[in-house]
Amino acid sequence: MVNVRKSCSLISDYSFVLACSAICLLLHICNRCASSSLNGEELVRDGGISLLATLLSRCMYVVQNSTPATDPAAMIVTNVMLTFSGLSKFKSSWGEMLQCPGFVEDVVHCSELEHAHAAVDSALQTISNVAASQDMQDRMLKTGVIW
């Protein structure tokens, strides 16, 4: 059991319930996208990529390479990356991901997390999936993911 109040570096004590709710919601979204391509495509059409990218970006300001996987911010990052690894299978999502400032950099940062192994696996899967796009290859080249 994780003591969210003691390990939470992302949010204040007053809103720890909100962090728990966000984690549960992200798990639900991730599972829905993984189980049905229609769910994933609908999330892309409804602007879910930019919302998830914004959430990832905000959490990445807090998460360091040595952050424990049980930290609420790391748990959110892991669930967002699990969702992105599923969404990145759809070509329709690549353009949306390209339009999110700092997205590739955040994914690369996720791949460097020492204790959040599921986030690292998902980040690498996301990079692998989007590498089929020439535009994403160019962005990754500029970021240093590939050389």
Side-chain angles (χ1 to χ4, degrees):
M1 179 114 193
V2 176
N3 186 338
V4 176
R5 284 190 181 201
K6 287 184 180 176
S7 65
C8 187
S9 58
L10 176 64
I11 52 175
S12 68
D13 284 340
Y14 299 109
S15 57
F16 79 97
V17 172
L18 184 60
C20 294
S21 299
I23 292 167
C24 291
L25 179 61
L26 286 168
L27 278 170
H28 178 70
I29 291 171
C30 175
N31 289 334
R32 300 277 298 181
C33 290
S35 66
S36 167
S37 62
L38 291 176
N39 289 334
E41 290 172 358
E42 184 175 350
L43 186 63
V44 172
R45 277 194 310 273
D46 288 343
I49 297 283
S50 65
L51 291 173
L52 287 170
T54 299
L55 179 60
L56 178 64
S57 178
R58 289 183 180 184
C59 289
M60 293 314 292
Y61 280 115
V62 178
V63 176
Q64 303 299 315
N65 290 358
S66 60
T67 301
T70 56
D71 183 272
M75 293 170 70
I76 291 171
V77 165
T78 298
N79 288 305
V80 169
M81 285 313 308
L82 285 167
T83 304
F84 273 128
S85 77
L87 291 174
S88 65
K89 295 175 185 173
F90 307 117
K91 290 182 182 181
S92 61
S93 70
W94 298 347
E96 296 291 322
M97 290 176 188
L98 268 174
Q99 293 180 4
C100 298
F103 173 75
V104 173
E105 292 83 355
D106 288 337
V107 173
V108 171
H109 184 189
C110 286
S111 71
E112 299 167 343
L113 300 177
E114 297 170 5
H115 303 291
H117 303 291
V120 172
D121 289 344
S122 298
L124 295 174
Q125 185 64 48
T126 301
I127 291 168
S128 172
N129 289 338
V130 300
S133 161
Q134 182 65 47
D135 293 332
M136 287 300 263
Q137 287 177 18
D138 293 341
R139 178 75 60 87
M140 288 189 286
L141 187 61
K142 290 176 187 173
T143 308
V145 176
I146 56 176
W147 56 94

